[in-house]
Amino acid sequence: MKTRTLALASAAMLLISGCASMHPTASEEAPPPVNPDFASAMAKFNAQFPNEKASRYEEVSINYNNNLKLDERGNCHERSKYPVVIVLTLDASGKVLSSTTDVMNAKAECFRQAYAAVQLPPPPFAPYQKPIRLR
């Protein structure tokens, strides 16, 4: 009886350890695929400079984003260990018209949805490209 119980316990432990090894841990997470549209969005942002008004707006919009903790909407940070860079396209009132992320994964999609209805301070011109790096 002891031998059979020991054999069943050993089999259960092997099964459990085998299942655990089938699912990668956060440290084993593969990097997300790159979004091919991101380079174009960043090029549009970079084309806005040098511009003193745009430089000042970057500081204003970063402070606004940080004060309201807009990046905490939807609990997106926990979806991947990899950071996401999102480029928001703003209209003249500061409303987000669209967004593009540097990668394509659940975390990036979560941030795109979280920022979809955001209202930032009015930018110096429109459309305005506003990148945000999210951990």
Side-chain angles (χ1 to χ4, degrees), residues 18-130:
C19 290
S21 66
M22 291 174 61
H23 300 289
T25 63
S27 63
E28 297 170 350
E29 177 185 355
V34 173
N35 182 351
D37 298 329
F38 181 74
S40 173
M42 277 307 291
K44 289 176 185 176
F45 167 72
N46 289 327
Q48 298 173 149
F49 296 91
N51 181 314
E52 187 178 322
K53 290 180 181 180
S55 295
R56 277 185 285 179
Y57 182 74
E58 284 304 301
E59 185 175 338
V60 167
S61 62
I62 288 169
N63 290 336
Y64 184 86
N65 183 56
N66 290 341
N67 289 337
L68 293 180
K69 300 181 181 185
L70 298 175
D71 63 306
E72 293 181 13
R73 293 180 177 190
N75 197 29
C76 302
H77 290 288
E78 303 306 316
R79 298 192 181 208
S80 173
K81 71 176 185 176
Y82 292 99
V84 170
V85 176
I86 188 168
V87 177
L88 307 173
T89 302
L90 308 176
D91 69 8
S93 70
K95 181 180 176 192
V96 175
L97 298 175
S98 64
S99 63
T100 305
T101 53
D102 63 335
V103 295
M104 298 183 301
N105 63 4
K107 184 176 183 176
E109 178 60 29
C110 183
F111 279 124
R112 282 193 299 274
Q113 290 178 13
Y115 277 93
V118 166
Q119 177 74 44
L120 293 170
F125 51 85
Y128 188 86
Q129 307 300 313
K130 169 68 190 147

